[in-house]
Amino acid sequence: MLLIKNGLLSLSILVLSLTFSFADKYPKNPKIDILNYAFRIELSDETDEIKCEETIDVSYLGEGVNVLRLDLTKSSEALEGKGMTVSRVLSGGKELDYIHEGDQLKINLPEASQLNQRTSYTVIYSGIPATGLKIAKNKYGDRTFFSDNWPDKARNWLAVIDHPYDKATSEFIVIAPNHYQVVSNGLMLEETDLGNGKRLTHWKQSIPIASWLYVLGVAEFAVQHVDDFEGKAIQTWVYRQDRDAGFYDFAEPTKKALEYYSDYIGPFSYEKLANIQSNSVSGGMEAASAILYSENSVVGDRNERWRNVVIHEIAHQWFGNAVTEYDWDDVWLSEGFATYFTSLFIEHEYGHDAFMRQMASSKERVLSFNEKNPDYRIVHDNLEDMSQVTTGQTYQKGSWILHMLRGVVGTENFWKGIRNYYTKYQNLNSTTTDFRIEMEAASGMNLERFFDQWLYKSGALKIYGDWGYNKKSQELRITLDQVQKDRSLFEMPIQVAIYEPGKSAPTIETVIIKSQSDSFTFSLDYEPERIILDPESWVLMESTINKTKF
C-alpha cells in the first residue's frame, strides 16, 4: 500500500521475517545489577595519584553467582607504573579475597548469591590513572582534573561494570585542595571546607546511567546559574579566565533545546543541566546532566560550530543517556539519533533551509566515506575492537537513516513512534530491534526490510535514470537502474518531480524501486520540461536522470 501524507512517503513493505542477533564481546552477567556506586576520591596538588574508597550496592537477579567481576585497570610496567592498585575489598566489615589482573577485578563471594539478594561491597584502591581521568594543566597553565570515560575508559580510575548494558546511580564525594570547585553528575548535596586546606564536595546522581556518562570536573571555575527549566537548574562552569566569554556562549540555545526535546520527545530525565569547559575532550561529551566541552569551545561569539555541538550534546541527554544502547553494536541509537535530532532542532529554531544544509552536508560525508569503506555497516557485527566503536558514518548515515524512516512512515507516525520508544525505554536500555518494533507499532507497517538494508548491510543507493515522452500515446516513461556496486538491491520509495512547461510547481509522483531496473509509465497530456528525482531529499542516494527517446 502506497500513501502520500503531507508530502511525505509512507510505504508498506511485506517481507519475510528477519532475525538479527548481534552482540559485542563484553562478558555480560544478567544475574548482576549494580544499583549504585559511591566514589569517595581524594585528589592532591602534590601528586597525580588518586585515592579511592568505593562502595558498590549490588542486587543479584539470580542465584549461584560466586564471583563479582568489575572492570578496573591494574598498575603495570606496560602502563609505566600507572593504573590502580587495590589494597582491600570488604563486605559487612569482613575482608574478601579478590584477584586483580589486567583490566579485571574479580571479587570472590563468601557464598553463592541468592535470588533478590542485595549486598554492598567496599573496594579501596589508589594509583595514577593511565587515562580516563586527565590530570594536567589547562590552556592557562592551571592544574585541572577532568574525566574522559568514552567509550570504556572509566575502568582506568573507577571500579565499575564498564559497559552500557548495566546502568546505575552514582555519588562522587571528592576531597580536593580548597582552591578548586568540583562538578559532577546530579545535584550537589554538600560542600564543606575541612579546615586543613581541603574541601569536600558531594554530588549525587539519582537516575541510573551508563559508566561512560559519569563525570568529574575539578578546576578553578567561574560558575553561573543561567536559568531554570521545569524547576531544574541550567548552569555554566568555565575557567575563571573565560568567565565573560563562557557565560555568553553557553547561555544560548541551552534552554530552547531542552524545551524542544522535552515537548517533542518526552521529559528530561536529570536533576540539572550544566555546560562545562574542560581540557579532556576535543569536541563535546554528553555526560548525563553535566556536559563537557573542549576548552577551545569558549570564544565569546556564539559561533554556529560550537552552537551545534551544544545542541548535539543536549540531544544526547535523551538518546544515549536516558535511552541507552544495550550493546555497543547498536551505538547508532546514541550517535545517529543525537545527530538527526540536532538537525531537527536546527530546523525548528533556525528554519528549513538550515536543516537542509545540515542534511546535504551529512549526505556528502556519507557518500565519501562509503567510497573508501564500501563494506562498512551501521550495526556492528559482534564488535571486538573498541577503537572502531564509532566512525563518522555512525553519526551521519545513522542520522540519514532516521530521516529516511521519517519519509517512509510519515512525520506524524515518526514522532508518535519516537515518543512511544522514549516512554518505554527512558532510563533503561534498548536495541535496534526494540526501536523497530515501536516504529512498526506507530506506523502499522512492516519495517524489517528497511532496517535490514540500511542498518545491517553496507553500501549506498546509486541510481541512473532516463525518461522519455511519447506525444502520440501521451505517456511519460521513467526507467531507474540501481547501479551501486557489490551489494544487494534496495527497496525504497522515491519521489519524482515532473515539471510542466510554464509552471514553477511540479507534480509529485511516488515510485517504488526494488529491482536492478524498474520502469514506470504515467499518462500525461504534456511533455515535461524536466524531471527531478527525490526533490525534497528524503533518500540517501546518488542519482542522475537524463532525457531520452521513448
Side-chain angles (χ1 to χ4, degrees), residues 57-306:
D57 191 5
V58 181
S59 175
Y60 290 95
L61 306 182
E63 59 184 24
V65 177
N66 294 296
V67 175
L68 173 62
R69 180 200 171 282
L70 300 170
D71 298 297
L72 183 66
T73 300
K74 184 178 181 180
S75 174
S76 68
E77 291 184 8
L79 296 174
E80 299 179 345
K82 294 182 178 180
M84 297 297 120
T85 299
V86 177
S87 55
R88 301 176 73 191
V89 178
L90 304 97
S91 181
K94 296 181 179 179
E95 300 266 356
L96 299 183
D97 293 331
Y98 61 89
I99 298 173
H100 190 197
E101 294 179 343
D103 286 349
Q104 299 185 58
L105 173 62
K106 296 181 178 179
I107 301 170
N108 296 317
L109 307 187
E111 56 186 26
S113 68
Q114 299 297 314
L115 178 64
N116 297 323
Q117 173 186 334
R118 182 167 172 173
T119 306
S120 290
Y121 304 89
T122 298
V123 181
I124 301 171
Y125 60 91
S126 62
I128 299 174
T131 186
L133 180 66
K134 183 175 181 178
I135 305 172
K137 292 181 179 180
N138 67 13
K139 67 179 182 178
Y140 293 110
D142 294 335
R143 182 174 172 84
T144 61
F145 306 75
F146 283 104
S147 56
D148 179 23
N149 294 336
W150 172 263
D152 62 345
K153 294 188 291 187
R155 66 189 66 189
N156 286 276
W157 63 295
L158 304 175
V160 292
I161 291 179
D162 202 8
H163 188 280
Y165 90 95
D166 189 86
K167 302 172 75 170
T169 59
S170 64
E171 298 173 65
F172 279 86
I173 305 102
V174 179
I175 298 172
N178 61 12
H179 61 94
Y180 294 117
Q181 291 127 300
V182 176
V183 63
S184 186
N185 309 95
L187 293 177
M188 184 190 292
L189 301 184
E190 179 185 359
E191 187 177 53
T192 300
D193 282 331
L194 301 177
N196 57 355
K198 300 284 188 178
R199 178 181 293 142
L200 181 148
T201 309
H202 184 178
W203 287 87
K204 181 175 176 61
Q205 166 75 25
S206 298
I207 306 299
I209 56 177
S211 59
W212 97 77
L213 299 171
Y214 297 144
V215 67
L216 181 63
V218 181
E220 295 180 5
F221 286 113
V223 184
Q224 181 187 39
H225 179 96
V226 180
D227 205 338
D228 290 295
F229 168 71
E230 298 182 349
K232 300 172 181 181
I234 299 172
Q235 302 170 352
T236 295
W237 296 64
V238 294
Y239 301 159
R240 57 183 176 81
Q241 298 92 336
D242 285 334
R243 175 188 180 275
D244 293 343
F247 287 0
Y248 177 78
D249 282 348
F250 285 126
E252 291 286 345
T254 300
K255 186 173 183 178
K256 293 174 182 176
L258 288 168
E259 290 171 339
Y260 174 78
Y261 295 129
S262 182
D263 288 344
Y264 280 82
I265 301 169
F268 177 62
S269 283
Y270 306 112
E271 297 100 328
K272 72 165 187 309
L273 195 286
N275 291 316
I276 306 164
Q277 183 183 17
S278 75
N279 65 351
S280 61
V281 298
S282 59
M285 174 43 58
E286 64 270 14
S289 80
I291 301 169
L292 298 181
Y293 300 92
S294 164
E295 62 183 6
N296 297 318
S297 65
V298 175
V299 290
D301 64 1
R302 292 183 182 171
N303 64 75
E304 182 177 328
R305 176 194 173 194
W306 287 108

Side-chain angles (χ1 to χ4, degrees), residues 245-539:
F247 287 0
Y248 177 78
D249 282 348
F250 285 126
E252 291 286 345
T254 300
K255 186 173 183 178
K256 293 174 182 176
L258 288 168
E259 290 171 339
Y260 174 78
Y261 295 129
S262 182
D263 288 344
Y264 280 82
I265 301 169
F268 177 62
S269 283
Y270 306 112
E271 297 100 328
K272 72 165 187 309
L273 195 286
N275 291 316
I276 306 164
Q277 183 183 17
S278 75
N279 65 351
S280 61
V281 298
S282 59
M285 174 43 58
E286 64 270 14
S289 80
I291 301 169
L292 298 181
Y293 300 92
S294 164
E295 62 183 6
N296 297 318
S297 65
V298 175
V299 290
D301 64 1
R302 292 183 182 171
N303 64 75
E304 182 177 328
R305 176 194 173 194
W306 287 108
R307 179 202 74 186
N308 290 351
V309 174
V310 170
I311 298 165
H312 180 96
E313 305 309 334
I314 293 174
H316 265 308
Q317 304 301 305
W318 278 260
F319 298 113
N321 296 11
V323 180
T324 306
E325 57 271 25
Y326 180 79
D327 197 273
W328 286 122
D329 278 8
D330 283 330
V331 69
W332 86 281
L333 294 173
S334 174
E335 297 301 350
F337 274 60
T339 303
Y340 189 54
F341 281 85
T342 296
S343 297
L344 290 173
F345 174 80
I346 288 171
E347 181 177 38
H348 170 80
E349 189 65 24
Y350 307 111
H352 184 68
D353 288 346
F355 169 78
M356 294 308 297
R357 287 194 295 270
Q358 287 284 116
M359 299 310 297
S361 175
S362 289
K363 177 184 282 191
E364 287 180 8
R365 282 179 277 179
V366 170
L367 297 177
S368 175
F369 183 99
N370 185 69
E371 283 292 320
K372 300 171 185 176
N373 306 274
D375 296 327
Y376 188 87
R377 45 181 277 181
I378 297 301
V379 175
H380 296 300
D381 185 2
N382 306 314
L383 180 71
E384 292 188 70
D385 182 0
M386 287 302 295
S387 70
Q388 301 300 312
V389 65
T390 60
T391 66
Q393 206 77 330
T394 315
Y395 295 72
Q396 309 304 333
K397 188 175 181 180
S399 170
W400 257 96
I401 289 167
L402 289 172
H403 184 59
M404 290 190 291
L405 178 62
R406 177 181 159 203
V408 166
V409 304
T411 292
E412 182 178 345
N413 286 334
F414 176 80
W415 282 111
K416 179 182 177 183
I418 289 294
R419 286 190 288 269
N420 291 345
Y421 171 67
Y422 184 76
T423 297
K424 186 170 184 177
Y425 294 103
Q426 183 183 11
N427 302 324
L428 300 171
N429 295 91
S430 71
T431 66
T432 296
T433 298
D434 294 329
F435 175 58
R436 175 179 58 79
I437 289 170
E438 292 306 313
M439 297 308 293
E440 288 180 335
S443 65
M445 297 166 58
N446 186 324
L447 297 170
E448 286 183 332
R449 174 67 180 268
F450 177 90
F451 275 66
D452 176 42
Q453 66 188 7
W454 289 112
L455 288 161
Y456 296 92
K457 292 180 180 177
S458 62
L461 177 59
K462 191 171 185 178
I463 295 290
Y464 178 80
D466 58 52
W467 66 274
Y469 182 72
N470 188 313
K471 292 183 179 180
K472 184 176 181 180
S473 63
Q474 293 193 320
E475 288 181 326
L476 167 68
R477 185 180 67 188
I478 298 174
T479 299
L480 301 179
D481 296 336
Q482 296 193 42
V483 295
Q484 62 271 10
K485 298 178 181 178
D486 302 324
R487 64 144 291 138
S488 57
L489 300 173
F490 288 89
E491 180 173 339
M492 280 296 291
I494 297 178
Q495 290 180 328
V496 179
I498 304 170
Y499 285 83
E500 183 177 353
K503 293 186 177 180
S504 58
T507 298
I508 302 294
E509 299 286 352
T510 301
V511 299
I512 301 173
I513 60 165
K514 54 187 174 182
S515 305
Q516 189 78 55
S517 182
D518 293 286
S519 292
F520 309 93
T521 303
F522 304 92
S523 296
L524 212 60
D525 60 4
Y526 61 87
E527 182 173 357
E529 182 178 70
R530 59 193 170 112
I531 302 290
I532 294 179
L533 296 180
D534 192 30
E536 297 177 345
S537 295
W538 283 108
V539 182

Side-chain angles (χ1 to χ4, degrees), residues 23-47:
D24 62 44
K25 298 298 186 180
Y26 187 86
K28 303 179 184 74
N29 188 337
K31 292 184 178 182
I32 294 173
D33 179 23
I34 308 295
L35 301 177
N36 186 71
Y37 298 101
F39 308 104
R40 186 179 181 90
I41 299 174
E42 186 168 351
L43 306 174
S44 170
D45 278 338
E46 284 69 49
T47 176

